[in-house]
């Protein structure tokens, strides 16, 4: 924490005879910037001190004003508004960013702790939809945020590669599949075959039978079934891998549902023996109605582990996967970044694990999120109303490329650089759009907003970063390490520095709430403050103390923006 704030809190605590943490807990920036740098709401202490908040405020104000680091302290009703010694405050903030550089905002809070993040986890033999886009982007950002806080993060891709639907797919392929077409169209063709299977099954019920028979063969290890299945997995992975590369994502563990197929049998057996699961009309279930927390959740449906036809389910494999992950990583937490539509599934899953007596069941978190809605329905929809990630990605890059082309006169980018920028900014726009709302909220995706170079958008943040990079290039010298902060007296300079100071706490809240939105929102404010500063304060060519101090501020803002963008999973282009 900044030493000036600490000094103020200590002095106030001393005076009021309360713990320092209490004062630190309420000390915050005031409602309006013009009121000063910090405020202490005194009603927080009125009751225990049996004094009026106004009286406390008045006493604090006169005592705090005596501190050398306080410029002004004024009582305003129940508040004390404090303006601190700005050059000292700015020297502290800039000094810290300059010293820590890329490591600014990092911490040791995660030392020795492992977080497993299950994210992306698409289903094979299907195109990646925009629902998968959101988990992919959210999970990746959380991964980077936790790493910045010192955690060891294991990114897990729990591919949907097992289940009765693969019997149907094999049956469909056997009937209508053309190898070359599958090779060419990949998941799109596989998906078409699958859709056709269900269409035709309506007329011809024998198809269902065929599908089930193929899944049985697959489960029993029949070579032909296995070979086809493996081929579908490999083809799908090739496609997914391309997206992960574009997004800069690598998984520490790619282990699909199929990896747990041999564990489900013994697991069900064990649960039956322990009396946690029971048979019910030929199926195996875990009843979950009895509540231990006293809350009335009689409505909780049981968790189904095995259907009456003997096949296991998504949930069964999830149960096995959770146990496997705990045994393998002894995680501090395991996060499941999966859409809110699966809330019941995770509630049941966690409850079942709790019933099994695993103390770590409390460390499982469903990081749920809302849907992405496309307002423009004419968006390329290759099949039905599903929007595919690949189309969105390609369109974003293409549209940014056009924007760059049209701005031709002003850019000094080479052809190669232009292509790079189109990629980084197109992809960045999509990433930012996915994080531009609190995770449980739905996102209304509109191209003009997503690709805009103004407002809450990826391009705006990246452009702001490139602008700062441009100033630094022109400056072309060493950044002063001990700038004369007395030269930074403009409102916009102080406001920008104070924004920079908030970065570490924003990274922490994003981790605590499992929501990178808290960081993306902050970065937008930071970009605004940066541009306000840039538009009103000339940097290059000013007298040397002013120029030196301002260039240090530019450098600090660039460093924080860059790190912030990286934590969201975006590139920070040096030129645009
Ligand atoms: N494959 C699933 C889907 O696309 C998501 C899997 C999420 N992870 C998990 N462990 N259940 O809906």
């Amino acid at each position: 924490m900044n030493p000036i704030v600490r000094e103020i809190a200590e002095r106030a605590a001393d005076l009021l005879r309360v713990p320092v943490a209490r004062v630190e807990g309420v000390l915050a920036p005031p409602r309006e910037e013009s009121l000063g740098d910090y405020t202490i709401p005194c009603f927080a202490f009125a009751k225990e001190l049996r004094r009026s908040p106004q009286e406390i405020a008045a006493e604090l104000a006169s005592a705090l004003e005596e501190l050398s680091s306080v410029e002004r302290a004024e009582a305003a009703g129940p508040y004390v508004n404090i303006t601190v010694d700005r050059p000292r405050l700015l020297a502290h903030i800039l000094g810290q960013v300059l010293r820590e550089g890329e490591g600014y905002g990092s911490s040791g809070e995660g030392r020795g702790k492992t977080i497993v993040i299950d994210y992306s986890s698409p289903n094979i033999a299907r195109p990646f939809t925009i629902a998968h886009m959101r988990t992919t982007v959210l999970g990746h950002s959380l991964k980077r945020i936790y790493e910045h806080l010192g955690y060891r993060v294991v990114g897990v891709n729990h591919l949907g590669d097992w289940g009765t639907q693969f019997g149907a797919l094999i049956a469909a392929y056997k009937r209508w599949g053309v190898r070359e077409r599958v090779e060419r169209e990949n998941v799109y063709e596989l998906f078409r075959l699958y859709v056709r299977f269900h269409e035709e099954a309506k007329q011809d019920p024998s198809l269902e039978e065929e599908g089930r028979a193929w899944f049985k063969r697959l489960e029993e290890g029949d070579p032909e079934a296995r070979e086809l299945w493996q081929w579908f997995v490999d083809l799908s992975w090739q496609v997914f891998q391309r997206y992960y590369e574009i997004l800069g994502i690598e998984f520490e563990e790619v282990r699909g549902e199929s990896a747990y197929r041999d564990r489900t049998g013994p697991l069900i057996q064990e649960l039956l023996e322990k009396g946690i699961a029971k048979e019910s009309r030929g199926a195996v279930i875990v009843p979950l109605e009895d509540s231990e927390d006293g809350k009335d959740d009689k409505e909780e449906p049981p968790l189904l582990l095995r259907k009456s036809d003997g096949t296991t389910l998504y949930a069964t494999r999830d149960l096995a996967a959770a146990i496997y992950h705990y045994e393998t990583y002894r995680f501090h937490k395991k996060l499941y970044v999966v859409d809110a539509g699966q809330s019941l599934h995770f509630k049941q899953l966690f409850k079942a694990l709790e019933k099994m007596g695993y103390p770590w069941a409390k460390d499982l978190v469903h990081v749920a999120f809302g849907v992405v809605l496309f307002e423009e329905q004419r968006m390329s929809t290759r099949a039905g109303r599903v929007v595919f990630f690949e189309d969105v990605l390609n369109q974003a890059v293409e549209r940014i490329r056009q924007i760059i082309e049209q701005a031709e006169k002003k850019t000094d980018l080479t052809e190669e650089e232009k292509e790079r920028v189109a990629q980084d900014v197109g992809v960045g726009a999509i990433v930012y759009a996915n994080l531009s709302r609190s995770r449980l909220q739905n996102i209304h995706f509109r191209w003009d907003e997503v690709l805009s170079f103004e407002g809450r958008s990826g391009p705006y943040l990246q452009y702001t970063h490139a602008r700062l990079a441009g100033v630094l290039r022109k400056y072309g010298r060493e950044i002063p390490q001990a700038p004369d902060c007395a030269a930074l007296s403009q409102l916009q300079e102080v406001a920008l520095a104070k924004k920079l100071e908030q970065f570490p706490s924003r990274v922490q809240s994003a981790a605590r709430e499992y929501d990178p939105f808290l960081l993306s929102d902050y970065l937008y404010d930071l970009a605004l403050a940066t541009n306000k500063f840039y538009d009103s304060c000339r940097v290059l060519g000013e007298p040397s103390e002013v120029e030196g101090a301002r260039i240090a501020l530019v450098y600090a803002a660039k460093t924080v923006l860059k790190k912030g963008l990286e934590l969201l999973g975006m590139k920070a282009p040096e030129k645009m």
Side-chain angles (χ1 to χ4, degrees):
M1 178 182 293
N2 117 31
I4 299 178
V5 172
R6 173 142 342 115
E7 195 185 342
I8 293 171
E10 275 169 2
R11 183 80 188 95
D14 205 35
L15 220 69
L16 303 178
R17 297 170 192 285
V18 297
V20 187
R22 287 280 315 282
V23 183
E24 283 175 352
V26 297
L27 200 142
R31 225 170 346 98
E32 273 174 49
E33 251 168 52
S34 61
L35 296 174
D37 302 313
Y38 302 99
T39 190
I40 302 179
C42 298
F43 37 77
F45 309 104
K47 211 161 166 195
E48 61 188 283
L49 301 181
R50 295 166 188 275
R51 292 168 63 194
S52 78
Q54 287 79 359
E55 205 185 318
I56 302 174
E59 186 189 331
L60 278 184
S62 63
L64 292 176
E65 203 154 53
E66 277 163 28
L67 293 177
S68 68
S69 54
V70 170
E71 184 74 29
R72 209 168 55 240
E74 286 167 335
Y79 297 95
V80 194
N81 294 324
I82 305 158
T83 301
V84 302
D85 178 338
R86 297 254 170 89
R88 225 175 114 185
L89 176 67
L90 267 54
H92 164 75
I93 299 169
L94 290 189
Q96 194 177 356
V97 181
L98 294 178
R99 245 187 348 267
E100 299 181 7
E102 288 274 293
Y104 183 57
S106 66
S107 84
E109 80 163 66
R111 195 171 305 124
K113 297 187 181 129
T114 299
I115 297 214
V116 174
I117 308 185
D118 175 328
Y119 72 108
S120 195
S121 306
N123 300 319
I124 66 147
R126 272 165 201 241
F128 211 89
T129 65
I130 48 172
H132 290 113
M133 154 176 96
R134 201 165 176 192
T135 154
T136 306
V137 167
L138 268 171
H140 182 216
S141 174
L142 285 173
K143 176 167 191 246
R144 292 190 175 188
I145 288 170
Y146 278 106
E147 280 171 348
H148 200 53
L149 296 178
Y151 292 87
R152 168 185 177 225
V153 182
V154 180
V156 169
N157 196 331
H158 184 83
L159 282 181
D161 62 358
W162 204 250
T164 45
Q165 67 271 32
F166 296 104
L169 181 62
I170 294 176
Y173 178 76
K174 291 293 287 181
R175 283 217 178 185
W176 314 296
V178 180
R179 186 165 266 273
E180 296 71 46
R181 197 175 301 153
V182 172
E183 260 153 15
R184 196 173 55 239
E185 306 263 320
N186 204 319
V187 290
Y188 296 102
E189 177 62 12
L190 293 176
F191 186 50
R192 247 176 253 134
L193 286 169
Y194 182 74
V195 169
R196 179 165 175 194
F197 178 90
H198 285 286
E199 292 282 304
E200 302 213 1
K202 281 183 212 146
Q203 318 300 330
D204 176 3
S206 73
L207 263 176
E208 298 281 5
E209 213 25 71
E210 226 170 282
R212 267 195 293 275
W214 272 109
F215 184 57
K216 192 145 183 290
R217 286 173 69 176
L218 182 60
E219 286 218 279
E220 285 162 359
D222 171 271
E224 185 182 6
R226 270 303 163 82
E227 199 181 307
L228 280 172
W229 171 82
Q230 188 63 53
W231 183 46
F232 300 152
V233 174
D234 295 344
L235 280 173
S236 311
W237 184 250
Q238 264 173 34
V239 173
F240 302 157
Q241 183 64 28
R242 231 174 34 224
Y243 308 149
Y244 297 138
E245 248 163 52
I246 291 173
L247 294 168
I249 295 177
E250 273 176 46
F251 290 93
E252 282 64 32
E253 184 190 292
V254 180
R255 241 177 103 83
E257 290 182 45
S258 65
Y260 301 100
R261 61 176 178 252
D262 295 336
R263 289 173 175 253
T264 52
L267 181 62
I268 292 173
Q269 205 46 48
E270 183 194 329
L271 289 173
L272 282 170
E273 276 159 22
K274 288 189 179 158
I276 295 166
K278 64 175 193 194
E279 301 213 26
S280 163
R281 281 184 252 125
V284 177
I285 61 167
V286 179
L288 298 170
E289 71 286 350
D290 56 343
S291 92
E292 277 154 43
D293 53 11
K295 269 185 254 131
D296 181 28
D297 43 13
K298 286 265 178 296
E299 299 302 309
E300 198 86 73
L303 182 68
L304 184 57
L305 295 183
R306 195 170 72 202
K307 289 197 271 189
S308 51
D309 66 5
T311 51
T312 59
L313 297 100
Y314 177 56
T316 327
R317 294 183 283 279
D318 247 340
L319 213 52
I323 297 168
Y324 170 82
H325 283 136
Y326 189 76
E327 283 170 357
T328 310
Y329 303 111
R330 307 273 150 187
F331 52 71
H332 169 66
K333 274 184 186 160
K334 179 176 175 190
L335 315 184
Y336 295 85
V337 187
V338 185
D339 70 274
Q342 296 194 27
S343 294
L344 177 61
H345 164 76
F346 287 106
K347 218 171 137 201
Q348 291 182 314
L349 183 69
F350 300 167
K351 214 156 177 195
L353 288 159
E354 192 187 301
K355 270 193 104 175
M356 291 169 77
Y358 290 116
W360 46 263
K362 65 175 189 339
D363 304 320
L364 303 171
V365 186
H366 176 204
V367 178
F369 58 85
V371 298
V372 182
L373 300 161
F374 273 77
E375 253 155 25
E376 296 176 47
Q377 277 302 334
R378 54 196 163 75
M379 252 297 302
S380 45
T381 49
R382 287 204 217 166
R385 270 179 288 110
V386 194
V387 179
F388 297 136
F389 179 56
E390 183 159 14
D391 296 329
V392 176
L393 212 55
N394 289 342
Q395 280 213 40
V397 173
E398 184 47 41
R399 288 176 190 233
I400 293 289
R401 196 179 284 132
Q402 276 168 22
I403 294 173
I404 300 172
E405 283 307 329
Q406 278 151 17
E408 189 84 77
K409 279 150 259 146
K410 281 178 278 169
T411 134
D412 58 345
L413 299 177
T414 65
E415 284 307 312
E416 213 182 321
E417 283 173 334
K418 267 192 227 161
E419 191 47 42
R420 193 67 263 149
V421 170
Q423 280 289 334
D424 290 349
V425 178
V427 173
I430 301 294
V431 170
Y432 191 85
N434 273 284
L435 304 175
S436 62
R437 297 206 151 252
S438 188
R439 65 181 159 82
L440 284 165
Q441 287 189 308
N442 295 343
I443 290 176
H444 294 265
F445 198 101
R446 292 184 42 132
W447 279 117
D448 54 346
E449 285 169 14
V450 170
L451 299 178
S452 168
F453 279 64
E454 281 156 43
R456 286 175 193 276
S457 73
Y460 175 65
L461 297 195
Q462 289 173 318
Y463 180 66
T464 304
H465 175 267
R467 230 177 156 186
L468 298 176
V471 181
L472 291 169
R473 265 197 309 280
K474 278 207 195 110
Y475 180 74
R477 281 166 277 156
E478 287 282 307
I479 307 300
Q481 291 301 302
D484 176 6
C485 290
L488 299 173
S489 57
Q490 300 296 316
L491 227 59
Q492 296 85 349
E493 295 166 326
V494 177
L496 174 56
K498 288 204 295 195
K499 266 276 155 250
L500 294 174
E501 189 189 13
Q502 294 169 4
F503 181 68
S505 77
R506 293 310 171 99
V507 175
Q508 285 163 22
S509 353
R512 200 178 335 105
E513 308 282 327
Y514 315 110
D515 199 350
F517 163 72
L518 296 174
L519 183 60
S520 82
D521 190 46
Y522 160 79
L523 288 180
Y524 172 66
D525 286 345
L526 175 61
L528 278 183
T530 301
N531 287 310
K532 274 196 191 137
F533 153 72
Y534 189 81
D535 293 339
S536 54
C537 303
R538 203 168 79 147
V539 179
L540 304 177
E542 289 291 301
S544 78
E545 294 94 39
V546 177
E547 183 183 62
R550 285 186 179 163
I551 206 73
L553 186 55
V554 165
Y555 181 82
K558 178 185 180 290
T559 304
V560 175
L561 257 175
K562 176 163 190 240
K563 191 74 224 173
L565 289 170
E566 280 171 13
L567 295 184
L568 296 184
M570 294 165 67
K571 290 269 169 56
E574 292 287 316
K575 277 185 180 181
M576 265 170 78

